[in-house]
Every structure is written in structure tokens, then in C-alpha cells.
Amino acid sequence: MPQTLDPELRRALAERVRYCHEMGIYDFYRRENAATDGVSSAVVESEIREEMAARKSAVVPAIAATNLVAITSSSESGITDPIAALQLIREDLGDCTRCKLHKGRTNLVFGVGSPRAELMFVGEGPGADEDAQGEPFVGRAGQLLNNMIKAMGLRREDVYIANIVKCRPPGNRTPEPDECETCSPFLMRQIATIKPKVIVALGATAAKNLLAISSSLGELRGHWYDFKPAGSDPSWPGARLAVTYHPAYLLRDPRQKGETWKDLQMVMKYLGIEPSKKAGE
Ligand code: SF4
């Protein structure tokens, strides 16, 4: 006999399906241990109910994180136009050879998006597609990030996207501490110029470098961190920083997309973005 879902559960299910579609997932599978439709739907229902309860009861403290990367040179300070300030930072980078990552790069990947973005995503470093095109997150992981942004009701051009290091590490290896340390001051200047309300660190490397905390991604997720580069405008209160999975990781383990959606919903709630709001509507 068909059962009716209560409206809140139906809405949560519809939201989950819409999110999966936005992220390019159209095929759903039934768990092998589900002997009947009743068991299968009960599992899904119970998971969604748990998720709803967790969201309602989530207490998300802001944790003060000391960012150890100070702005060492800020020739753009005093420039009120963020477009001009970002141009100046780019000019300061020039044909950068400050660390060994310059040796293998095709293009330096500075960052892209709105110079007045309220939301900023920071990843680890450019991959092959990004290196070829000179723009962050343009490969498969970039498509997924675009879908995540769209699922939030935003457009790629509404946010700002950058990486900890601006040149591709050989073989897509994790950037080394000296490389992150050398490149990060430029990212700090970008952040201090854009003055976002929220920064989302994509993956453990971005999170650990921004927060100077050596914890697992699991420990870092689900919290707000206060973030403000040392030496930035005293009148700017700083950003709140959240941590989630890197889209490249989600391509390898799509089961974590639900967890990522929770992180993004935390961000949306803080920014006052309605889940149903669509860009351009
Ligand atoms: Fe310069 Fe950063 Fe590229 Fe290193 S990664 S060469 S510091 S732009």
C-alpha cells in the first residue's frame, strides 16, 4: 500500500535529488542489502531524518584561528577599487620565479571571479587543465565546483576562486610547505582586497594552510573559523571560514557529496541564501 511522506521529508528528499542533479548525478542505485522496497526506503528515510535532525541541532561555534601568513607587501593598500588592487597584486607577481613550482608551469593561475565577492573558494593548486588555461577549477573538478556553486543558487562569476599556490605542482602532487609559504602572501593580499564574508577551504591542504592547524579534514569540517590576514584593513572584521571536501576528492568518492552539501548549507544559512533561489531568477 503506498505510503505518503510528510511534507518536510518530501521537501528534504526533493532538495537532495535536486542537489544530485545539479552535481551531475542522475543515476541512483539501490543498496545491495536492501531486501525489499520497504527496507530500502526506510533506510533512505531514516538517513534523511537523521540529517534533518543533525542540521536542526547543529551548534556551529566560531573558532578563532591565527593566520600565520602576514601580508608582507601591500602596495595596493589605500586603493579602494578592488579591481585595480587585484591588478596590482597580479603585476607584483609578474613572471614569478619565487618558488620551484615555476619550473613546470605553462600559466600562472592567479584567481577568477568577482572582486567584490561575499564568498570565496580556496583550493590547493592548479591541475593540468588549469595550468593550460590559466584559470582555477576549469577541469572536471571545476565542473563539479560550478555545479556546487549553482546548487547554492549562485553563479561562478558571483564568487571568487583561487588556490593556495598559483603554479601547478608536478604530477599534481601536494604543494610543499616552502611553496605554500612563498605563494600564500599573494593569496592573503587577494583575500584582504576582496574582503569576503565567507571563505570555503576546499580540501585539507587549503584548510591547513589557511588556518595553520594540523588536523584531519573530518575534525576541521562542521565549524566556523574566524579568519583575517594579519595586516589587512582594520575596518574589515574579517571572514568566517568553513572547510569542506575538495571537488577532486568528491570525484573519487561521490558518497561524500551529501556531507559537502551540509557544509555548503551552513555557508548558505550564514549568507542568507535561500536554497531555492536560482541565479538569474
Ligand atoms: Fe610564484 Fe606562487 Fe608560482 Fe611559486 S607557486 S612560482 S610563489 S606564483
Side-chain angles (χ1 to χ4, degrees):
M1 190 174 147
Q3 295 178 342
T4 51
L5 297 172
D6 71 60
E8 197 177 1
L9 181 59
R10 182 187 293 274
R11 191 181 50 72
L13 274 168
E15 194 180 298
R16 172 80 68 92
V17 170
R18 183 180 68 83
Y19 169 68
C20 289
H21 285 177
E22 295 282 13
M23 294 179 90
I25 303 167
Y26 294 94
D27 297 326
F28 298 87
Y29 65 89
R30 183 177 298 167
R31 290 187 174 184
E32 285 177 9
N33 63 355
T36 67
D37 284 354
V39 172
S40 178
S41 61
V43 168
V44 173
E45 184 173 331
S46 119
E47 280 183 358
I48 295 212
R49 280 193 192 285
E50 276 172 28
E51 185 176 320
M52 286 160 59
R55 277 188 217 161
K56 279 179 188 164
S57 64
V59 177
V60 185
I63 298 171
T66 307
N67 169 34
L68 299 179
V69 182
I71 298 174
T72 52
S73 165
S74 56
S75 48
E76 69 280 9
S77 64
I79 298 177
T80 51
D81 177 8
I83 299 171
L86 287 173
Q87 273 171 358
L88 199 56
I89 299 166
R90 180 65 190 87
E91 282 166 18
D92 280 355
L93 268 164
D95 193 16
C96 184
T97 56
R98 291 172 179 85
C99 85
K100 58 186 175 296
L101 290 182
H102 79 277
K103 291 176 189 166
R105 75 159 178 246
T106 308
N107 286 297
L108 187 153
V109 181
F110 181 66
V112 71
S114 169
R116 296 180 177 84
E118 289 193 340
L119 175 58
M120 188 164 174
F121 289 94
V122 177
E124 180 176 308
D129 293 313
E130 291 74 19
D131 177 58
Q133 297 183 42
E135 184 172 325
F137 286 93
V138 291
R140 283 181 67 225
Q143 288 304 312
L144 184 52
L145 178 61
N146 290 348
N147 288 340
M148 288 160 61
I149 293 166
K150 199 173 162 192
M152 297 175 78
L154 298 170
R155 301 167 304 172
R156 184 174 163 101
E157 54 267 37
D158 294 329
V159 305
Y160 195 89
I161 306 168
N163 283 308
I164 296 289
V165 294
K166 301 187 187 306
C167 301
R168 183 192 180 200
N172 292 339
R173 67 159 168 75
T174 303
E176 291 170 0
D178 64 304
E179 296 158 354
C180 295
E181 210 172 296
T182 307
C183 205
S184 287
F186 294 95
L187 175 64
M188 294 305 121
R189 289 169 63 186
Q190 287 169 283
I191 293 171
T193 296
I194 295 163
K195 302 186 177 81
K197 282 187 181 169
V198 171
I199 297 169
V200 176
L202 298 168
T205 301
K208 288 177 187 177
N209 275 283
L210 288 168
L211 297 172
I213 294 176
S214 188
S215 303
S216 71
L217 194 77
E219 290 167 332
L220 292 170
R221 285 184 54 244
H223 302 284
W224 282 117
Y225 302 85
D226 290 328
F227 183 85
K228 187 174 179 187
S232 56
D233 183 354
S235 68
W236 174 49
R240 296 191 109 194
L241 189 148
V243 177
T244 195
Y245 292 100
H246 193 288
Y249 178 78
L250 295 177
L251 291 173
R252 295 194 297 274
D253 186 358
R255 292 171 302 175
Q256 302 307 327
K257 286 181 178 177
E259 290 298 303
T260 307
W261 184 230
K262 286 185 203 170
D263 299 332
L264 297 182
Q265 284 189 311
M266 185 176 98
V267 170
M268 289 159 68
K269 188 174 176 189
Y270 180 72
L271 290 174
I273 301 170
E274 294 291 329
S276 58
K277 184 181 158 198
K278 285 282 194 176
E281 282 181 357

